[in-house]
Structure formats: C-alpha cells, structure tokens
Amino acid sequence: MKIYTKTGDKGQTSLIGGTRVAKSHLRIETYGTVDELNSYIGLIMCQEINPHYQKLLKEIQDRLFTIGSSLAADPEKSNMKIPDLHDEDITLLEKEMDAMNEELPALKHFVLPGGNTTVSYCHIARCVCRRAERLSVELAASSFVEDKVTVYLNRLSDYLFVLARKLNLDFGTEENIWIPRI
C-alpha cells in the first residue's frame, strides 16, 4: 500500500464521511494541532522519566487519537463508529494531578517554562494543548464537537503543567519562577 494518494495535491483533503474540505479548514487545523500535541507527548514519553508517567503518557496518546478521530469525522455525513472519550479519562488526569500535587511545594509564584529539557518539553506540549483547546472551542461555535473533547484538552493542559513541576522535583531541578519587576 502506498502512503501517498495524490488526492491532496490541490489543497483539499477528506474528512471521515467523504466530505472534501480545504487543508486550511478549521476542522483540519484543530485535529492537526491535536496530532502535533500527540507528537510532543511522545517526545516526553521517550525521556528518562518514571515508568508510571511513561505509561500514562501512552494512554494520553491513545486518547488524543480518539479526539483526532472525532474531530476528523464530518459530524453530518460520517456513519463510521468513532471511539469516544469517557468521564473516567478526565477523572484519571485529575487523580494523577492530585497525587503529584501532594508531593509538590505550594505554588506561590507563576512558573516560567524551563528547568531542564524534559520539563521544557512538557511546557511546549502544554502550550500546544492550549492551542488545540482554543481551536476546538472555535470549531464548536460553528460545528459539532463532542463536549468531552474540550474538557479533556483543558484538563490535559493542567496535567502537563503539574507534570512539568513534578519532573522538576524528580530531577532535583529548581523551578524557574517569575518574580515581576516592580
């Protein structure tokens, strides 16, 4: 099977359901950003981090594929069975954040991205996640987007922030805090 089809050479692509849209369409931009996020999650997962975090990041990648599938489907024409998110997917992120927060010092300042390379990857992923969330909100204003997609992305960006803080602690790296000039 060839990976290239040449059907997108003129700037069009197909949604699940067959609808052809411009590659610049908001729906394409949204699931493309989720794909970008998934790549950054993979980058974090490949670092020398606790295997528990690696396992959870692999599960997050699976959920992001679920989100991408949902976003890639034409809500009016697709009859394909698409995997869906569950409340438990969101609850898992919350429980993981709660467990990490029990070990973290109280947050007294804004945290600037950085500390070490792995932590910086978490912050980049968090920013991409926020962009994916903003795009899904914008798409939902004009077309169907499963409610849990936006909730999951919102919670995932929080998780990535807490993970960045926890990895700084695990690595013994000082947090890069913001002290504003006054």
Side-chain angles (χ1 to χ4, degrees):
M1 178 177 138
K2 292 183 180 182
I3 192 70
Y4 59 91
T5 63
K6 300 183 183 181
T7 59
D9 289 353
K10 295 193 175 165
Q12 296 264 311
T13 192
S14 292
L15 297 174
I16 297 172
T19 304
R20 301 283 295 168
V21 296
K23 289 185 176 186
S24 60
H25 190 281
L26 180 58
R27 187 166 287 281
I28 306 304
E29 183 66 27
T30 305
Y31 76 71
T33 302
V34 170
D35 187 39
E36 180 184 354
L37 170 60
N38 209 337
S39 296
Y40 278 112
I41 297 295
L43 183 62
I44 299 164
M45 194 174 64
C46 292
Q47 304 303 303
E48 294 292 322
I49 60 174
N50 184 312
H52 173 76
Y53 302 138
Q54 289 174 326
K55 182 179 176 194
L56 183 61
L57 290 168
K58 174 77 169 147
E59 187 167 334
I60 288 168
Q61 285 191 303
D62 184 85
R63 296 300 91 78
L64 291 174
F65 251 78
T66 295
I67 289 170
S69 298
S70 174
L71 293 169
D74 182 332
E76 296 178 19
K77 291 189 178 176
S78 176
N79 294 324
M80 181 183 277
K81 174 69 176 136
I82 303 290
D84 55 356
L85 291 173
H86 301 277
D87 291 332
E88 296 79 28
D89 299 323
I90 296 161
T91 304
L92 175 62
L93 294 176
E94 293 169 347
K95 287 179 180 178
E96 289 291 325
M97 282 186 282
D98 292 344
M100 288 187 289
N101 271 325
E102 287 182 14
E103 297 180 43
L104 290 170
L107 192 58
K108 296 179 181 174
H109 300 280
F110 284 103
V111 176
L112 297 171
N116 66 46
T117 302
T118 303
V119 170
S120 295
Y121 292 150
C122 288
H123 284 291
I124 292 169
R126 174 186 54 80
C127 292
V128 174
C129 189
R130 286 286 187 210
R131 179 166 24 102
E133 179 188 3
R134 290 189 303 271
L135 289 168
S136 72
V137 168
E138 183 180 357
L139 181 60
S142 61
S143 184
F144 176 78
V145 173
E146 171 62 44
D147 291 339
K148 287 185 182 87
V149 166
T150 305
V151 174
Y152 187 85
L153 292 171
N154 183 32
R155 212 65 83 248
L156 178 56
S157 64
D158 293 337
Y159 170 81
L160 291 166
F161 175 76
V162 176
L163 180 62
R165 293 193 71 219
K166 181 64 170 73
L167 290 175
N168 260 332
L169 181 69
D170 291 353
F171 288 125
T173 310
E174 190 173 322
E175 275 192 314
N176 189 16
I177 61 171
W178 181 53
I179 308 293
R181 289 185 300 191
I182 298 185

